[in-house]
Amino acid sequence: MDIVERFINYTKFNTTTNKENGLKGIMPSNPTEYELAIFIKDELSSLGIKDIILQDNAILIAKIPANCENAPSIAFFAHLDTSSEQKNDTKAKVVKYTGGDICLNEEQGIYLKFSDNPELKKYVGDDIVVTDGTSLLGADDKAAIASIVNMASFFMQNPNVKHGKIVICFVPDEEQGLLGAKALDVNLLGADFGYCLDCCEIGELIYENWNAADCTMVFKGVSAHPMNAKGKLVNSLLLAHKFISLLPGGEVPECTEGKEGYFWVKELSGNSAKTTLKIDIREFDEVKFQKRLEFLSDMANSFNKIYGQCCDITLKTRYENVFKFLKDENSLPIKLAKDAFSELNITPNIKPMRGGYDGAAISAKGVPTLNLFTGGNNFHSVFEYLPVSSLKAASEVIKKIVINAAK
């Protein structure tokens, strides 16, 4: 089966992650994620892969045995869900790009505009997969699934090509805090290291990401009727605002870039008696990350001394920087990726990821995992698009990684 046909088949499953179910601990949060997993399981089985596990939570693991001694066991990861920004069914189509704007929906006057997407000039003459402008395309992350299944098909059809054990793993609900990856038992994989395919444009290569933590603060006030509140009323909303005002003003998402960390005041809710404040903490450097956590903790202690045990603070690490587990830039997983890019004449776009991905959670469990491009553009947008040449390149990269690892 052609890789484009595989991808479009996957887009027909509406696997929008359901945040309400996710908060309730329901996995997969959308039952259609499990339906897609069944579909892929049957597809892998039809390729002749026999070692396949599909768990009730929609985690799918398949293994192709090694035919080469001493080659490392490599895992490849993708996620089944799509982002919750759009819930409409995907109507994917392939267009031949000849330049200029692309009409996605003539009836509604929706266009993928060249002025907003100047990188389109690189794809003149290429086939591009788009939607009708009313939904996500789902290249995040179904392009990854198509690339991995396509790679698996190659090795099953070419048993004389040497390779180590290939592990395929698809997880649910990445789009809400890496829930599937956090639920994954990596002991079932038997992998030495791995690669997520969850980056965007062709060439992207990620082996650094945030250290991330969540801060939840509960401010407790003292209620009193306003007619006789003087000296009695303690307004928890105002305490929370005072706390926020003491955070470093420029260290916020809208004022930072590259490896600059931040505090993100994300949610404030409550009343004068009780107020909950939620803050995201992000930092690449581990020492700086710990200092940010200590800063918030010290601030909370100071407030309690000044205002009399007015607040409780909970700090929880969400995920860690993958580079911590890869050790250095000469590690085998990084070298194999760079070599594959070079051999395929793909210019690597190496950059720190100001976000998280499944590999962050998986790396912390003992399987160091990089992040590779899927080839898609404009993730989480109705203007998401996927050049076919980039999709094919993503599959060729991981095929080359497996082959080179067995040399």
Side-chain angles (χ1 to χ4, degrees), residues 131-252:
T131 72
D132 68 348
T134 65
S135 72
L136 305 181
L137 177 60
D140 177 17
D141 202 25
K142 291 168 184 171
I145 299 173
S147 295
I148 294 169
V149 174
N150 195 67
M151 176 269 294
S153 176
F154 170 82
F155 286 106
M156 294 303 295
Q157 292 174 15
N158 297 274
N160 293 327
V161 177
K162 297 298 182 183
H163 61 82
K165 183 172 71 172
I166 300 169
V167 183
I168 297 165
C169 183
F170 301 137
V171 298
D173 298 317
E174 184 269 352
E175 297 289 359
Q176 47 178 320
L178 319 182
L179 294 180
K182 290 178 178 178
L184 173 66
D185 181 358
V186 298
N187 294 316
L188 297 174
L189 304 178
D192 297 309
F193 53 86
Y195 298 89
C196 273
L197 280 73
D198 200 10
C199 293
C200 301
E201 195 172 10
I202 184 172
E204 289 192 0
L205 171 59
I206 303 294
Y207 46 82
E208 284 193 82
N209 63 281
W210 289 127
N211 291 294
D214 303 326
C215 172
T216 301
M217 299 194 65
V218 178
F219 292 87
K220 296 162 287 187
V222 177
S223 298
H225 195 285
M227 74 171 68
N228 59 354
K230 186 174 182 179
K232 300 177 183 177
L233 176 65
V234 178
N235 191 328
S236 71
L237 282 165
L238 296 182
L239 287 173
H241 278 282
K242 286 180 181 178
F243 191 95
I244 293 169
S245 72
L246 296 175
L247 296 173
E251 297 179 15
V252 292

Side-chain angles (χ1 to χ4, degrees), residues 8-9 33 45 68 84 175 192 201 294 298 303 375 386 403 405:
I8 291 178
N9 283 343
E33 294 180 72
S45 180
C68 175
S84 60
E175 297 289 359
D192 297 309
E201 195 172 10
E294 291 169 8
D298 290 344
F303 261 60
L386 177 65
I403 292 172

Side-chain angles (χ1 to χ4, degrees), residues 47 54 77 103 111 197 214 218 236 269 279 322 328 341 360 366 385:
L47 296 177
L54 176 57
F77 301 95
C103 180
Y111 287 82
L197 280 73
D214 303 326
V218 178
S236 71
S269 60
I279 303 171
V322 166
D328 63 69
F341 278 44
Y385 69 93

Side-chain angles (χ1 to χ4, degrees), residues 210 250-253 255-263 282-284 288 292 352 354:
W210 289 127
E251 297 179 15
V252 292
C255 296
T256 54
E257 62 184 354
K259 289 190 176 183
E260 296 172 336
Y262 59 69
F263 296 107
R282 300 289 185 270
E283 188 64 70
F284 282 92
K288 292 180 179 179
R292 287 189 180 276
R354 289 175 66 84

Side-chain angles (χ1 to χ4, degrees), residues 53-68:
I53 300 170
L54 176 57
Q55 299 177 341
D56 291 343
N57 58 10
I59 292 176
L60 176 63
I61 301 170
K63 300 175 185 177
I64 301 175
N67 63 9
C68 175

